[in-house]
Amino acid sequence: MKQLILLLTVTLTGVIWSVIFHQPLVKGFLPGFIILVYLSKQNKQGVKQILLISIRGVYKTRVVIIILFLVSFLLPSWYLSGTIEQMVKIALHFINPHFFYVLTFVAAMVFSMLLGTTVGTLSAIGIPILGTAVVLNLQPEIVAGALVSGAFVGDRTSPFSSAHQLLAHTIELPVKKQWNAMLFTTFIAVGVSILFYGSFDFFSEVTVPASEHLRWSDLSLIKFIPPIILLLLVLFRVSIIYAFLTSIISAGILSLFEGVSLVEIAHAFWNGIEGLGGGFLHMYELLLFLALAGAYNGLLEELNVIQPYLDKWLQSSTSLTGDTIKTLLATLVISFIAANQTLPIILTGRSFLPHWSSKYGKVELARVMGDTTMLFPGMVPWSVLAIMCSTIVGIPILEYLPYALFLWLLPFLTVMVSLFKHVRKSKSIATA
């Protein structure tokens, strides 16, 4: 237990220091990694074995690292090709500015249910929507919160989501039953989110810029090629890496035809676009952190540090409500330590499945984990998923998180549902 407390304390202290003092996450995460290496040595792991496990861990995160590497080039390429400017014009034409926040949430939700991915959704519609919000003088952190909320509806709930599939596989439940288990809390959370963003629309003063009526003849279909390629490839389940790469290359070619020189393209790819972001220079420290986090997770899995304590956690079980809260807290701690979405799903699911299966059924565990484990990685500032979301929308997570209602509403909802079921069961037993 002392080892776990030491690891948790050092890791959290480091990353919280990074977040508060705006230091690179890789610096704050490094002491936790050093402690984990020390614990590995104490566990009789050799230096060579520790190195091999760390390399395997980094290799597992290679897709995420490559994606964020490409994300740093996506916005500059779309900007130089004129794609962003044209998409903002069209968004201003079609989106009612007085219902902007609600429409942003709904659009992100629909796209995410189709795509099954947070990253794909934010990449496809996030850039033009945020660009339009700036033109309308709306608060970008609220727009980002609505985008991320909508994107997580599909990431958590869509049958096309890899995280959704992983959860179903881990708790040995058919996807259809898992989807049904999440349905009740999903409807409530979506309904409350629509009211939440609608209230911002109602009380916000929108500055609608005076502009000429959109003339379709002035638009260039060629400039739609980069986002269309990205969207189609994601829809057809082509690797997100190839989708990003193809979109960036097509935008780069368009930029050349627009008269942008190779030097200007290289400068934008390296430094980003002023006022918009992007660029490798602003991303390399994040990529180093992701590599370190991959090595950290590899050692964490190999050492089996958390598993024994999870096994003991539910031994003093009292009720559905109590077990829901215990599962919520356990998966939150795992999300704090493991900087990804996969490990919390696997560890929580494998550890708690026997207990929940025997006492309440797998369906209840699917609901609780769907409302907690699937969402916490999007709320922890040093989590890979949260970093990817923040990077794509270009707004720090702590600024938009208060407005990402869907993420932090569901954990409270699932506790209330468990409490209601526990009370109803107690009353039925009492009257029997």
Side-chain angles (χ1 to χ4, degrees):
M1 190 64 178
K2 288 181 181 178
Q3 290 183 345
L4 181 61
I5 292 172
L6 175 65
L7 179 64
L8 185 61
T9 303
V10 173
T11 302
L12 291 184
T13 302
V15 293
I16 290 170
W17 170 80
S18 292
V19 172
I20 292 175
F21 294 100
H22 305 288
Q23 294 296 315
L25 276 171
V26 67
K27 290 183 181 178
F29 206 69
L30 188 58
F33 179 72
I34 292 171
I35 292 294
L36 192 55
V37 170
Y38 169 76
L39 294 177
S40 301
K41 288 283 290 178
Q42 294 289 99
N43 204 37
K44 297 179 181 178
Q45 301 275 5
V47 175
K48 186 177 180 181
Q49 193 173 5
I50 292 171
L51 184 61
L52 287 173
I53 294 168
S54 300
I55 291 171
R56 283 202 299 267
V58 174
Y59 183 75
K60 285 182 181 179
T61 62
R62 69 193 185 283
V63 174
V64 175
I65 293 172
I66 294 170
I67 287 172
L68 281 187
F69 174 73
L70 293 174
V71 164
S72 66
F73 304 138
L74 185 72
L75 191 146
S77 66
W78 283 19
Y79 176 81
L80 294 175
S81 65
T83 298
I84 291 178
E85 182 185 0
Q86 188 162 277
M87 290 176 76
V88 168
K89 285 181 181 178
I90 291 173
L92 283 169
H93 178 74
F94 281 108
I95 295 178
N96 188 329
H98 301 288
F99 301 101
F100 193 89
Y101 295 123
V102 165
L103 290 174
T104 295
F105 171 72
V106 172
M109 178 177 66
V110 171
F111 267 83
S112 68
M113 287 300 294
L114 290 171
L115 301 179
T117 163
T118 305
V119 175
T121 300
L122 295 178
S123 302
I125 67 171
I127 295 172
I129 284 179
L130 280 162
T132 307
V134 171
V135 174
L136 294 173
N137 201 30
L138 293 169
Q139 295 184 60
E141 60 272 15
I142 302 178
V143 178
L147 277 169
V148 173
S149 282
F152 264 92
V153 175
D155 190 86
R156 162 190 173 272
T157 318
S158 172
F160 303 127
S161 165
S162 58
H164 189 87
Q165 294 284 345
L166 176 62
L167 178 59
H169 175 76
T170 304
I171 63 174
E172 300 168 5
L173 192 69
V175 170
K176 187 177 180 181
K177 285 189 176 181
Q178 178 173 280
W179 196 83
N180 289 333
M182 296 180 181
L183 208 54
F184 179 68
T185 51
T186 302
F187 275 132
I188 295 176
V190 167
V192 173
S193 296
I194 289 173
L195 292 174
F196 177 73
Y197 297 117
S199 67
F200 282 108
D201 282 321
F202 184 77
F203 292 107
S204 296
E205 291 185 7
V206 182
T207 304
V208 181
S211 59
E212 298 179 9
H213 183 72
L214 180 68
R215 289 183 298 183
W216 295 99
S217 58
D218 292 340
L219 300 178
S220 171
L221 288 174
I222 295 175
K223 291 181 180 179
F224 287 117
I225 290 175
I228 288 173
I229 286 174
L230 178 66
L231 189 58
L232 286 177
L233 291 180
V234 173
L235 272 172
F236 285 104
R237 311 293 162 202
V238 177
S239 168
I240 190 77
I241 292 174
Y242 295 123
F244 274 122
L245 190 59
T246 310
S247 181
I248 291 165
I249 291 171
S250 64
I253 294 170
L254 284 178
S255 301
L256 292 172
F257 279 108
E258 288 289 313
V260 182
S261 68
L262 283 171
V263 174
E264 288 174 309
I265 293 174
H267 182 270
F269 278 18
W270 182 260
N271 294 293
I273 302 296
E274 189 175 351
L276 288 176
F280 178 76
L281 199 61
H282 303 114
M283 189 69 72
Y284 76 93
E285 289 176 337
L286 200 53
L287 299 176
L288 289 174
F289 164 73
L290 294 176
L292 187 64
Y296 183 99
N297 282 325
L299 286 172
L300 200 64
E301 286 184 68
E302 190 72 25
L303 276 177
N304 202 25
V305 174
I306 303 173
Q307 191 78 37
Y309 303 104
L310 294 180
D311 294 338
K312 295 176 183 177
W313 186 237
L314 293 178
Q315 285 180 359
S316 58
S317 172
T318 54
S319 65
L320 175 60
T321 309
D323 283 347
T324 299
I325 293 172
K326 284 182 177 181
T327 303
L328 184 153
L329 292 174
T331 199
L332 180 60
V333 170
I334 297 169
S335 298
F336 275 141
I337 298 175
N340 64 15
Q341 189 182 34
T342 305
L343 197 59
I345 291 174
I346 294 172
L347 274 181
T348 308
R350 286 177 182 170
S351 302
F352 292 169
L353 180 59
H355 177 84
W356 279 82
S357 296
S358 62
K359 294 210 69 173
Y360 315 110
K362 296 175 183 178
V363 169
E364 291 295 337
L365 180 60
R367 169 181 62 83
V368 172
M369 287 186 64
D371 294 341
T372 56
T373 314
M374 302 280 278
L375 302 174
F376 287 151
M379 302 165 70
V380 178
W382 51 91
S383 166
V384 171
L385 186 56
I387 289 169
M388 291 177 79
C389 294
S390 177
T391 303
I392 293 170
V393 299
I395 295 170
I397 181 173
L398 294 180
E399 290 185 18
Y400 72 70
L401 187 58
Y403 306 103
L405 181 68
F406 187 81
L407 273 71
W408 51 264
L409 176 63
L410 276 167
F412 291 104
L413 274 178
T414 207
V415 171
M416 296 305 295
V417 169
S418 292
L419 179 62
F420 174 77
K421 289 186 176 184
H422 172 65
V423 170
R424 188 175 62 178
K425 185 178 178 182
S426 298
K427 284 183 178 179
S428 64
I429 292 172
T431 55

